[in-house]
Amino acid sequence: MTPIIQTEALTKVYGANGAAVHALRGIDLTVEKGEFVALIGPSGSGKSTLMAILGCLDLPTVGTYTLDGRQVQGLSGGELARIRNEKVGFVFQSYNLLPRASIVRNVELPMLYAGVGRKERRERALALLEKVGIADKADKLPATLSGGQKQRVAVARALANNPALLLADEPTGALDSKTGAEVLDLFRELHQQGNTLLLVTHDPSIAALAQRRVEIRDGLIAVAEGVA
Ligand SMILES: Nc1ncnc2c1ncn2[C@@H]1O[C@H](COP(=O)(O)OP(=O)(O)O)[C@@H](O)[C@H]1O
Ligand SMILES: [Mg+2]
């Protein structure tokens, strides 16, 4: 079976010459379909940089990346955006919902970009809101929701185009521990349903919930643990 993520000797350099920052220095990472992996490491180790490349938000400086069978390195910005919208769902610490759009519109948006018709968009968005447990909020604006509810909307939006890969960067970082645990339960449920998840965290107790932990230090993979 083709892995969802396969990188070889991935490097990322920000800036140039004297000001160059070597954020990634040769990452070899494989994530199989259906895995739930936690990416851990101290602040500044390169987690967000790697996540941006894996999510097709940015390109590596050197090295290869294949996402669900598609070679990513060397693509144009437009091609990268298309693959991103088709194959990746994102959940960020700060939710990143559109404040003026209703909850259901927020969830519909990735489908709009993908060219899904109005009726199917609405049906699918409502089904996703049902799945994450907040169908009753469909017509509300994001500002009326609690942090935990906003993160559920973000998860529903991330699932909109049935992505090959779900990426979450510190998804519970802004939540109290009880609400955070509920959101993590949702991720575990998604894993059990066959989704492929990569969760970035600096919190070992959150990383412990994943099936496998990958540790990054100074832009290199330090430890890759097997199935717990
Ligand atoms: N846009 C950028 N320009 C320059 N340096 C950056 C940029 N983004 C990140 N860095 C640097 O790259 C390194 C890795 O950062 P980052 O990927 O954000 O780490 P983490 O998410 O693990 O905290 C750090 O030294 C950081 O300062
Ligand atoms: Mg970060």
Side-chain angles (χ1 to χ4, degrees):
M1 212 160 59
T2 326
I4 296 295
I5 291 173
Q6 187 146 43
T7 78
E8 262 173 58
L10 216 60
T11 74
K12 182 69 179 182
V13 182
Y14 293 111
N17 305 319
V21 176
H22 295 260
L24 300 178
R25 301 188 295 136
I27 299 279
D28 299 320
L29 177 66
T30 301
V31 174
E32 304 291 346
K33 189 171 170 54
E35 274 198 288
F36 179 8
V37 175
L39 180 67
I40 56 175
S43 178
S45 57
K47 302 184 297 297
S48 292
T49 299
L50 180 57
M51 159 107 172
I53 294 171
L54 297 178
C56 300
L57 290 163
D58 201 357
L59 289 167
T61 308
V62 181
T64 64
Y65 174 32
T66 308
L67 169 60
D68 194 25
R70 284 291 309 267
Q71 293 250 355
V72 169
Q73 75 281 356
L75 291 185
S76 72
E79 289 167 322
L80 199 63
R82 212 163 24 250
I83 290 192
R84 178 168 69 236
N85 192 53
E86 180 191 333
K87 293 197 184 288
V88 188
F90 293 95
V91 179
F92 299 99
Q93 176 173 337
S94 52
Y95 325 120
N96 294 13
L97 302 178
L98 288 184
R100 293 179 198 287
S102 68
I103 296 307
V104 68
R105 285 290 289 168
N106 266 279
V107 177
E108 282 183 37
L109 210 58
M111 295 185 265
L112 181 69
Y113 294 143
V116 177
R118 180 190 297 267
K119 187 161 176 287
E120 189 185 338
R121 270 198 327 258
R122 182 54 55 108
E123 283 171 6
R124 192 162 157 70
L126 291 173
L128 285 165
L129 287 172
E130 188 82 44
K131 184 186 178 91
V132 301
I134 46 166
D136 57 322
K137 306 289 183 194
D139 297 323
K140 301 271 188 277
L141 289 174
T144 66
L145 270 56
S146 70
Q149 290 170 331
K150 284 181 197 167
Q151 202 57 303
R152 286 172 186 277
V153 177
V155 170
R157 180 187 53 189
L159 293 169
N161 287 332
N162 204 7
L165 175 65
L166 263 182
L167 290 177
D169 196 349
E170 304 276 3
T172 61
L175 302 175
D176 64 68
S177 56
K178 178 170 174 291
T179 311
E182 287 165 7
V183 169
L184 291 168
D185 278 344
L186 180 58
F187 279 105
R188 276 194 290 191
E189 207 176 294
L190 295 173
H191 173 229
Q192 278 157 13
Q193 290 165 4
N195 290 285
T196 308
L197 272 74
L198 186 75
L199 186 154
V200 177
T201 182
H202 69 278
D203 183 338
S205 68
I206 292 174
L209 300 174
Q211 185 183 22
R212 176 158 75 96
R213 279 149 292 285
V214 172
E215 183 175 356
I216 177 169
R217 279 186 183 271
D218 296 329
L220 282 171
I221 287 176
V223 182
E225 268 182 56
V227 175

